[in-house]
Amino acid sequence: MNESPQLTCLVLAPFRGGWSAVHEAVVATFSDLGIGTVWLGASFDVGGLIVESVQQAIVKADLIVADITGNNPNTLYELGFAHAHRKPVLIVSERGQELPPFDIRGYVVLQYDPSDRESLLRYMRVWAQRYTAVEVAAAS
């Protein structure tokens, strides 16, 4: 019996800040669904152009979670690149942060409380399950 390749979710978030604790929970949540998780903050090739590594990772990923907390220009660029490649993207931001740029306000942005990771993870699980079901149906 051939197993289909594992889906991957790329996490786009600023390298600095407190997102690593949330990322660890996301890895565990998605792992339960058979989805691998990649966070570029921990896995760049030494000597390569960072932007090329990011672009390749976005193109290869099946799903994207983009944390736009703080409106980090790099993360916003990566979000735009993911949209240009028509990737399914879940945009998240910490509650109480400044509004996202005008171009992004038309998208649903899941605002989360960093002290309540369980609510964020429940929503991510439902979101990922929807795309997992679509991928499984398409492969049948």
Side-chain angles (χ1 to χ4, degrees):
M1 179 169 146
N2 289 342
E3 289 186 30
S4 61
Q6 184 180 39
L7 295 176
T8 59
C9 179
L10 176 64
V11 176
L12 303 175
F15 294 158
R16 65 187 197 299
W19 220 78
S20 60
V22 176
H23 175 258
E24 291 170 12
V26 170
V27 169
T29 298
F30 284 6
S31 176
D32 290 346
L33 299 172
I35 299 171
T37 308
V38 177
W39 187 29
L40 295 178
S43 61
F44 273 121
D45 291 333
V46 176
L49 289 176
I50 292 174
V51 71
E52 287 179 3
S53 295
V54 170
Q55 290 172 345
Q56 289 173 4
I58 290 169
V59 168
K60 289 179 184 176
D62 299 297
L63 307 170
I64 309 280
V65 172
D67 189 331
I68 62 168
T69 300
N71 294 326
N72 177 281
N74 295 326
T75 306
L76 294 174
Y77 168 83
E78 294 159 4
L79 172 61
F81 192 84
H83 279 155
H85 285 271
R86 302 205 183 288
K87 297 293 180 170
V89 180
L90 175 61
I91 306 171
V92 299
S93 179
E94 278 187 35
R95 186 172 291 129
Q97 296 291 312
E98 65 183 281
L99 289 173
F102 176 78
D103 294 6
I104 298 172
R105 289 184 203 160
Y107 292 95
V108 172
V109 177
L110 174 63
Q111 295 186 332
Y112 67 92
D113 178 351
S115 66
D116 182 13
R117 289 189 307 199
E118 289 308 311
S119 293
L120 172 64
L121 297 175
R122 269 194 308 277
Y123 189 89
M124 285 184 171
R125 176 181 293 278
V126 169
W127 177 80
Q129 284 173 325
R130 180 172 75 186
Y131 287 101
T132 303
V134 169
E135 289 290 329
V136 169
S140 302

